[in-house]
């Protein structure tokens, strides 16, 4: 197999594979072409890639010669026209949301895999980029909130008096939310947590968070552990409780998402009105509309003294470790498609390969994507 590692575009600083992971690909007899400068922003030089057996080449050469094209972000403008139907495209392109891109891939007959749809099964855990990147986001969200807040996170007992700890409210206790709880607790804050899935209560408590319960949530075992849409009655009860707790919080970290849909609105404008000036809201759901009504994706909104930060790519602020984790996940996934002699071997009998495949031979393979396109 000739694997082409592309340089990311826009504000992305990560790279899909660091040299340490490329080494394992070359050991598996895969020929790796790296676009010149691909690792620069993650502190990996072309010489570092060459040292582990990769060739660094121009972008045109990667597109012309690679059988498999790999990057983190969806294709840059104009790139979909460059990908040939004989090539395989691997990145994280949010196909449940960006259905127009899926249709383009489908019509062109390109084989594509979207790493954000790797099944959430035990066998696939080591390949799960969503979990890896959510870990970075949950951690960074808390660090940014702590830096921005005009008060401390921990309680301080000093000769100048006692400083009360910050109150943090975390909405959603998935991977990012749990990391945000752990990081907030390490910094000494008091943490309250909302989630529609009651199953997370024990995890929240084991990390030192207090679970705020609202009776009557809809849970669906068939949704594979994900949240589902809630009834209007439940939403009203939940809203009242959230408004009440938010008004007493210094920091709100929003992480609530529903795959393939707009993020649930949990902090309406009136909830922000009731918050203390100087409070900080970090909205990790910003790219799918945000949990806060005032969130603007990749912007900081200042409203009546409350800062609302909508950051869609915290992993890009920790490019070395984020790339390291991303690359290990990619390697573990791609091992499923590398034959004994390093050749490309797409085995659609494997549930992880099939489940992560979005388009192949002018058909949509992933069932969830199929249901939103048809
Ligand atoms: P996510 O990013 O899809 O959502 C974040 C959290 O927001 C979830 O906990 C969700 O329940 C919550 N949420 C959604 N709507 C809400 C609302 N209206 N109010 C409050 N909270 C709301 O979640 P994720 O981190 O991707 O995790 C989703 C599931 O996948 C979890 O069950 C997790 O344990 C599971 N998981 C499995 C694996 C694996 O087995 N490989 C790996 C990671 C996560």
């Amino acid at each position: 197999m000739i694997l082409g590692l592309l340089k990311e575009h826009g504000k992305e600083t990560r790279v899909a594979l660091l040299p340490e992971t490329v080494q394992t690909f070359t050991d598996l007899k895969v020929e790796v072409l790296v676009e010149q400068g691909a690792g620069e922003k993650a502190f990996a030089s072309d010489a570092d890639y060459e040292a582990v057996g990769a060739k660094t080449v121009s972008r045109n050469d990667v597109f012309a010669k690679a059988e498999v094209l790999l990057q983190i972000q969806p294709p840059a403008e104009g790139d979909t026209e460059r990908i040939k139907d004989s090539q395989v495209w691997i990145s994280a392109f949010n196909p449940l949301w960006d259905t127009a891109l899926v249709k383009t891939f489908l019509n062109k007959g390109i084989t594509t895999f979207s790493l954000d749809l790797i099944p959430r099964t035990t066998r696939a855990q080591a390949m799960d980029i969503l979990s890896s990147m959510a870990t970075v986001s949950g951690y960074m969200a808390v660090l940014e909130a702590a830096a921005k807040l005009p008060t401390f996170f921990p309680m301080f007992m000093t000769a100048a008096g006692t400083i009360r700890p910050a109150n943090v409210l975390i909405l959603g206790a998935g991977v990012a939310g749990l990391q945000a709880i752990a990081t907030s607790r390490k910094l000494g804050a008091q943490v309250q947590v909302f989630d529609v899935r009651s199953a997370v209560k024990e995890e929240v408590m084991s990390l030192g968070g207090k679970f705020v319960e609202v009776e009557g949530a809809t849970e669906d075992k068939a949704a594979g552990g994900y949240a589902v849409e809630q009834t209007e009655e439940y939403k009203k009860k939940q809203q009242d409780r959230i408004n009440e707790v938010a008004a007493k919080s210094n920091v709100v970290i929003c992480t609530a998402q529903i795959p393939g849909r707009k993020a649930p609105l949990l902090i309406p404008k009136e909830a922000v009105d009731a918050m203390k000036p100087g409070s900080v809201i970090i909205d990790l759901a910003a790219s799918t509309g945000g949990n806060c009504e005032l969130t603007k994706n990749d912007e900081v909104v200042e409203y009546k003294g409350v800062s609302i930060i909508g950051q869609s790519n915290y992993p890009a602020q920790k490019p070395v470790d984020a790339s390291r984790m991303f690359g290990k996940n990619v390697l573990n996934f791609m091992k499923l498609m590398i034959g004994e002699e390093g050749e490309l071997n797409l085995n659609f009998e494997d549930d992880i390969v099939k489940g992560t495949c979005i388009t192949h031979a002018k058909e949509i393979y992933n069932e969830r994507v199929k249901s939103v396109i048809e």
Side-chain angles (χ1 to χ4, degrees):
M1 175 199 307
I2 305 175
L3 171 63
L5 175 64
L6 289 162
K7 187 173 170 172
E8 300 292 326
H9 51 92
K11 291 185 185 154
E12 186 56 78
T13 59
R14 295 169 293 168
V15 60
L17 300 174
L18 284 175
E20 63 194 45
T21 314
V22 166
Q23 171 84 68
T24 314
F25 278 98
T26 51
D27 291 347
L28 291 169
K29 302 182 192 159
V30 172
E31 195 181 324
V32 185
L33 301 179
V34 177
E35 180 179 343
Q36 282 144 358
E40 235 164 43
K41 292 180 185 160
F43 304 92
S45 67
D46 287 355
D48 295 333
Y49 285 103
E50 300 266 356
V52 293
K55 281 195 204 113
T56 51
V57 298
S58 69
R59 187 170 180 80
N60 281 343
D61 276 356
V62 179
F63 271 100
K65 294 180 186 160
E67 289 170 85
V68 178
L69 293 161
L70 172 67
Q71 70 177 39
I72 296 173
Q73 293 288 343
E77 219 183 309
D79 278 355
T80 38
E81 284 87 73
R82 307 177 76 175
I83 310 168
K84 294 178 280 226
D85 59 6
S86 57
Q87 287 175 313
V88 175
W89 174 267
I90 303 180
S91 76
F93 54 89
N94 203 354
L96 289 171
W97 189 253
D98 192 350
T99 50
L101 180 60
V102 175
K103 284 179 192 157
T104 306
F105 282 140
L106 182 69
N107 295 335
K108 290 198 69 184
I110 300 166
T111 301
T112 62
F113 291 88
S114 196
L115 298 164
D116 45 0
L117 283 191
I118 283 183
R120 289 336 253 292
T121 57
T122 307
R123 187 166 78 96
Q125 248 168 7
M127 312 168 196
D128 189 356
I129 61 137
L130 282 186
S131 292
S132 302
M133 297 305 109
T135 300
V136 185
S137 300
Y139 168 79
M140 287 303 295
V142 174
L143 293 197
E144 176 147 24
K148 182 92 182 165
L149 198 68
T151 55
F152 292 123
F153 256 45
M155 177 164 127
F156 282 137
M157 294 172 84
T158 76
T162 299
I163 305 280
R164 301 276 316 136
N167 290 311
V168 175
L169 168 63
I170 294 171
L171 299 173
V175 182
L178 292 174
Q179 183 54 237
I181 301 170
T183 308
S184 302
R185 293 291 298 151
K186 277 183 228 165
L187 288 176
Q190 291 186 338
V191 181
Q192 300 204 63
V193 185
F194 270 117
D195 198 300
V196 280
R197 293 182 301 124
S198 56
V200 293
K201 181 179 170 182
E202 273 179 36
E203 282 175 273
V204 167
M205 284 165 52
S206 72
L207 289 168
K210 188 174 164 207
F211 193 72
V212 185
E213 287 178 76
V214 182
E215 300 283 303
T218 309
E219 300 196 34
D220 180 0
K221 289 205 169 65
Y226 285 106
V228 291
E229 274 289 314
Q230 299 296 318
T231 62
E232 288 310 314
E233 189 195 348
Y234 176 84
K235 282 186 194 166
K236 165 90 182 67
K237 266 204 278 182
Q238 184 192 44
Q239 196 56 67
D240 292 345
R241 274 298 277 144
I242 290 175
N243 290 2
E244 200 182 304
V245 182
K248 293 182 190 144
S249 301
N250 308 97
V251 170
V252 179
I253 310 244
C254 304
T255 79
Q257 305 213 49
I258 303 174
R261 309 186 79 136
K262 195 175 176 308
L265 176 61
L266 301 174
I267 302 284
K269 191 161 157 284
E270 33 312 353
V272 186
D273 280 325
M275 288 176 73
K276 292 181 279 268
S279 304
V280 178
I281 299 173
I282 307 272
D283 199 337
L284 292 180
S287 67
T288 51
N291 293 150
C292 175
E293 190 177 349
L294 301 174
T295 298
K296 290 202 173 133
N297 193 25
D298 291 329
E299 284 184 35
V300 178
V301 175
E302 300 290 348
Y303 175 81
K304 295 189 179 171
V306 179
S307 305
I308 301 130
I309 301 175
Q311 171 57 266
S312 67
N313 193 358
Y314 275 121
Q317 294 183 15
K318 284 278 171 272
V320 176
D321 276 336
S323 302
R324 177 169 289 135
M325 293 160 89
F326 195 99
K328 283 276 161 57
N329 292 148
V330 170
L331 169 67
N332 290 329
F333 170 65
M334 286 195 66
K335 274 182 180 168
L336 302 176
M337 52 176 79
I338 299 172
E340 276 180 21
E341 292 307 311
E343 77 280 13
L344 175 66
N345 175 21
L346 293 179
N347 172 17
F348 291 109
E349 300 290 306
D350 186 304
D351 61 319
I352 300 178
V353 174
K354 183 162 188 280
T356 312
C357 180
I358 308 305
T359 56
H360 176 67
K362 298 212 165 191
E363 264 186 60
I364 297 182
Y365 269 44
N366 179 287
E367 294 299 330
R368 281 161 69 208
V369 175
K370 209 184 261 180
S371 70
V372 295
I373 299 270
E374 287 170 354

